[in-house]
Amino acid sequence: MINDLWYKNAVIYCLSVDTYMDANGDGIGDFAGLMRRLDYLHGLGVTAIWLMPFQSSPGRDGGYDISDYYQVDPRYGTLGDFVEFTHAAKQRGVRVIIDLVVNHTSDQHAWFQSARHDPKSPYRDWYVWSKKRPRNANKGMVFPGVQKSTWNFDPAARAWYFHRFYDFQPDLNTSNLHVQAEILKIMGFWIQLGVSGFRMDAVPFVISTKGAQVRKPVEQYEMLRAMREFLQWRQGDAIILAEANVLPSTDMNYFGRSGDRMHMMFNFQVNQHLFYALAKGDARPLRHALKATQRLPKTAQWGMFLRNNDELDLGRLTKKQRESVFAAFGPEPAMQLYERGIRRRLAPMLDGDRRRIEMAYSLMFTLPGAAVLRYGDELGMGDDLSLPERQCARTPMQWSTEPNAGFTKSENPILPVIHEGPYGYDHVNAAAQRRDPESLLNWTERIIRMRKEVPEIGWGRFESMATGESSVLAIEYEWRNNWALFVHNLGSAPREILLTVKAPEGSGKLLINLLSEDHSQAQADGRHRLLLEGYGYRWYRVGGLDYLLKRSDIDGST
Ligand code: NOJ
Ligand code: CA
């Protein structure tokens, strides 16, 4: 086994350059500003920063409509600023991964403009056309309720073009070998500028067959292997983190049976069932989802997350399950989106209740995988539901009590800063939280530090154990002769559980609490009696603190 797969145990922090920090006072975040906040991110302890799209773009879908893959949008800086940033991150030991958005381009991209104006253009076949209106033109929208169709007529081309997402995002014909070659060229370009890999957008759509005649799209998984091969050759430690909201039965197609496709995938199955479990105060749906996604190649890893840049997509739950998550976390229609999700940020969903927020994050950090955080969540930032669609959860980072939260000196920030109510920047900001040892920011910093000292989570085998209480989840990890145990009470009522630890006889007798003094000694019958308050959580090392001396150098050995 290769020991230095950094992503197996990573903490990834997702941010958007335009709302993070504005250095030149024009109201738009930029690379110069982000660079000055690298010490903050380094202090928080993140392994990698995931940048949402920052390439040239009309910006009609948060930058996911790219008009030039080889430029930084001038509003954020220059390629020079970008390289200064990746260099500065590297000096601090922080990696950078960036979005790779190649399912579609902006309709303003020169390729599309050439393609639509000239049937003989070399780029004509880079997009997906139909002379007649396809029969399924109003099927398969990703943003139902907002997006009206998946095919639009383009008067210049005198043909219909396919767009899986908004109509200003024409799909690339990814089966075209020239398009495939260009995708590799884009990856090679950014690798050369210092990134450690990519979060690949909309992967199932990228690899699907597309066209007016395509009734049932077929995934061309071999494309994933080709991308992986290219990347690994250009830079051995670079990774792809796939955005693929797929069923557990197809997971292995994305990872590759021998781990030769995607390095990482977001675990949407666990994400949706986790929110259902939180809504019901019942750990069982989460246990099932963990079991369903347990099998993956040794070199692969899950990205575990709570909220991301989009809505909380609950499309994989049953209607009844979804209804109960809506009722618990987003009861008003304005809180919901696309007939399947909730668009709020985490803290308001959990009523700003510190116990629930800590428990949810503690859970995320201890689930089998690498953790993916979203900017501002370390402060408990809120949302602005007056903004359309997903913009509500993309407001500027709240740095201080200075005007506009210290995000910008301009009076016109790119998106309004949250300035009133319990999540306003005078209450919720990094400067104040840094000074307060008990703040969520300092809690997050401590929990990340502890997470990094428990590599069992990223590398080990795990088992979720019966606790006798449906609200309590207990997960035990084993890796190289070391054991760790995590217990979470998803319910509001206190619970007492009796637990038999799996670690071998002897070492299982003592549980050292990693976060407080409340350790546990097994009863005479070998079981541990643990009392958890409502929303309580415990991180235990099994056996004594001399575990490091017992750690083996190889897997599967004692
Ligand atoms: C997924 C991204 O997360 C989302 O924000 C975007 O709108 C779509 N892909 C289309 O690129
Ligand atoms: Ca700026």
Side-chain angles (χ1 to χ4, degrees):
M1 189 60 195
I2 309 163
N3 284 331
D4 46 2
L5 305 178
W6 63 270
Y7 55 93
K8 290 285 284 185
N9 240 342
V11 176
I12 301 175
Y13 183 99
C14 157
L15 67 89
S16 191
V17 179
D18 61 348
T19 52
Y20 206 61
M21 181 73 194
D22 171 26
N24 66 356
D26 64 356
I28 305 171
D30 41 45
F31 276 106
L34 171 56
M35 200 161 115
R36 291 175 205 174
R37 290 299 184 185
L38 272 173
D39 293 318
Y40 168 83
L41 292 167
H42 180 232
L44 192 56
V46 305
T47 319
I49 298 168
W50 152 28
L51 294 182
M52 293 173 58
F54 55 80
Q55 293 86 350
S56 297
S57 161
R60 296 179 66 192
D61 179 19
Y64 285 90
D65 47 335
I66 293 177
S67 54
D68 187 345
Y69 288 96
Y70 300 106
Q71 288 297 336
V72 168
D73 190 293
R75 292 172 301 171
Y76 311 144
T78 63
L79 282 174
D81 295 327
F82 181 79
V83 171
E84 284 301 295
F85 160 69
T86 53
H87 175 73
K90 190 169 184 187
Q91 278 194 312
R92 290 164 177 81
V94 176
R95 291 175 184 271
V96 178
I97 64 173
I98 65 172
D99 244 286
L100 180 67
V101 188
V102 290
N103 176 65
H104 46 265
T105 67
S106 159
D107 58 1
Q108 300 306 308
H109 197 293
W111 301 335
F112 188 67
Q113 288 303 326
S114 164
R116 62 193 285 249
H117 287 297
D118 176 7
K120 299 239 154 26
S121 159
Y123 297 108
R124 184 77 168 196
D125 189 50
W126 283 38
Y127 293 89
V128 187
W129 301 100
S130 171
K131 283 251 166 293
K132 288 197 297 209
R133 181 180 188 274
R135 285 170 61 191
N136 54 0
N138 54 3
K139 297 227 162 63
M141 283 83 76
V142 177
F143 305 127
V146 178
Q147 185 189 350
K148 299 275 174 287
S149 67
T150 49
W151 288 88
N152 262 40
F153 183 72
D154 181 60
R158 279 194 258 129
W160 296 73
Y161 67 92
F162 176 63
H163 56 92
R164 174 63 71 187
F165 296 90
Y166 298 112
D167 57 7
F168 53 81
Q169 290 165 321
D171 265 50
L172 281 164
N173 175 10
T174 43
S175 298
N176 179 321
L177 297 181
H178 291 286
V179 172
Q180 292 184 5
E182 189 74 28
I183 294 175
L184 299 187
K185 200 192 273 186
I186 294 167
M187 290 167 63
F189 179 81
W190 292 104
I191 283 292
Q192 209 68 25
L193 299 190
V195 308
S196 291
F198 303 91
R199 175 265 190 195
M200 207 200 312
D201 190 55
V203 178
F205 298 131
V206 173
I207 63 173
S208 276
T209 48
K210 311 179 186 189
Q213 309 310 327
V214 175
R215 284 272 138 73
K216 207 178 166 303
V218 178
E219 288 89 357
Q220 307 161 92
Y221 294 111
E222 272 307 296
M223 283 174 64
L224 301 178
R225 185 189 155 96
M227 289 182 199
R228 165 83 176 247
E229 248 171 19
F230 172 85
L231 196 61
Q232 232 69 106
W233 172 246
R234 284 287 170 97
Q235 187 174 303
D237 63 352
I239 61 146
I240 303 179
L241 163 55
E243 186 214 17
N245 182 353
V246 293
L247 288 171
S249 52
T250 42
D251 287 345
M252 286 307 262
N253 294 335
Y254 285 85
F255 287 126
R257 266 173 215 288
S258 46
D260 54 345
R261 293 176 185 167
M262 301 288 92
H263 304 74
M264 294 186 79
M265 277 214 281
F266 288 110
N267 197 326
F268 282 94
Q269 184 76 8
V270 162
N271 179 261
Q272 307 194 16
H273 288 88
L274 186 152
F275 275 94
Y276 178 51
L278 292 179
K280 300 293 278 185
D282 182 347
R284 287 171 300 182
L286 177 55
R287 275 187 85 185
H288 289 148
L290 289 171
K291 216 172 160 50
T293 55
Q294 187 156 22
R295 206 165 64 90
L296 72 174
K298 271 197 144 186
T299 54
Q301 187 57 296
W302 286 118
M304 293 293 183
F305 63 103
L306 293 177
R307 288 289 286 113
N308 63 21
N309 55 314
D310 294 319
E311 82 285 6
L312 164 63
D313 184 343
L314 303 167
R316 299 246 176 248
L317 300 181
T318 64
K319 190 159 186 296
K320 209 164 149 235
Q321 292 172 331
R322 194 163 40 248
E323 291 302 327
S324 51
V325 184
F326 280 151
F329 299 133
E332 293 165 28
M335 297 168 174
Q336 302 169 9
L337 196 60
Y338 309 139
E339 299 158 17
R340 58 156 186 251
I342 298 179
R343 64 191 193 113
R344 306 172 82 190
R345 272 224 189 219
L346 186 78
M349 275 200 274
L350 301 180
D351 285 332
D353 183 334
R354 179 66 184 266
R355 295 168 310 156
R356 297 172 74 190
I357 294 173
E358 277 187 26
M359 193 273 288
Y361 273 106
S362 166
L363 192 55
M364 177 185 84
F365 278 114
T366 57
L367 291 178
V372 186
L373 275 173
R374 177 152 167 71
Y375 81 94
D377 281 359
E378 73 274 30
L379 309 175
M381 264 174 59
D383 46 44
D384 178 350
L385 295 178
S386 71
L387 297 174
E389 291 181 68
R390 295 159 286 159
Q391 303 281 59
C392 63
R394 298 176 178 178
T395 59
M397 178 69 174
Q398 295 171 197
W399 291 110
S400 69
T401 52
E402 288 176 7
N404 278 316
F407 157 68
T408 180
K409 287 282 184 202
S410 161
E411 279 166 18
N412 295 307
I414 178 163
L415 280 177
V417 176
I418 297 182
H419 63 276
E420 53 184 18
Y423 302 97
Y425 66 81
D426 44 343
H427 300 297
V428 177
N429 69 73
Q433 291 201 20
R434 225 190 254 113
R435 290 184 215 114
D436 172 6
E438 299 310 319
S439 68
L440 187 61
L441 174 61
N442 281 314
W443 179 89
T444 309
E445 187 181 316
R446 289 192 297 270
I447 214 79
I448 291 177
R449 181 191 178 122
M450 191 49 83
R451 167 66 184 79
K452 287 172 156 176
E453 290 191 41
V454 196
E456 289 85 352
I457 299 171
W459 286 99
R461 286 187 292 116
F462 74 92
E463 191 170 335
S464 95
M465 296 118 87
T467 63
E469 289 288 349
S470 59
S471 71
V472 181
L473 181 76
I475 302 184
E476 189 176 356
Y477 289 90
E478 185 275 329
W479 181 63
R480 298 194 173 177
N481 201 32
N482 283 171
W483 283 263
L485 171 72
F486 303 92
V487 189
H488 289 83
N489 181 5
L490 275 56
S492 56
R495 288 282 176 261
E496 189 175 65
I497 60 161
L498 280 170
L499 204 67
T500 308
V501 174
K502 300 280 166 186
E505 194 61 39
S507 63
K509 289 222 168 78
L510 180 62
L511 299 178
I512 302 283
N513 190 323
L514 293 174
L515 307 175
S516 75
E517 289 301 333
D518 138 48
H519 313 300
S520 172
Q521 193 73 48
Q523 315 176 141
D525 66 359
R527 294 189 298 176
H528 288 269
R529 181 179 294 276
L530 305 176
L531 180 65
L532 285 109
E533 62 286 1
Y535 306 119
Y537 59 92
R538 301 283 185 277
W539 293 30
Y540 294 113
R541 212 158 250 295
V542 182
L545 286 178
D546 59 349
Y547 66 98
L548 283 177
L549 305 176
K550 299 177 183 155
R551 187 174 287 170
S552 159
D553 289 336
I554 54 170
D555 294 337
S557 117
T558 51

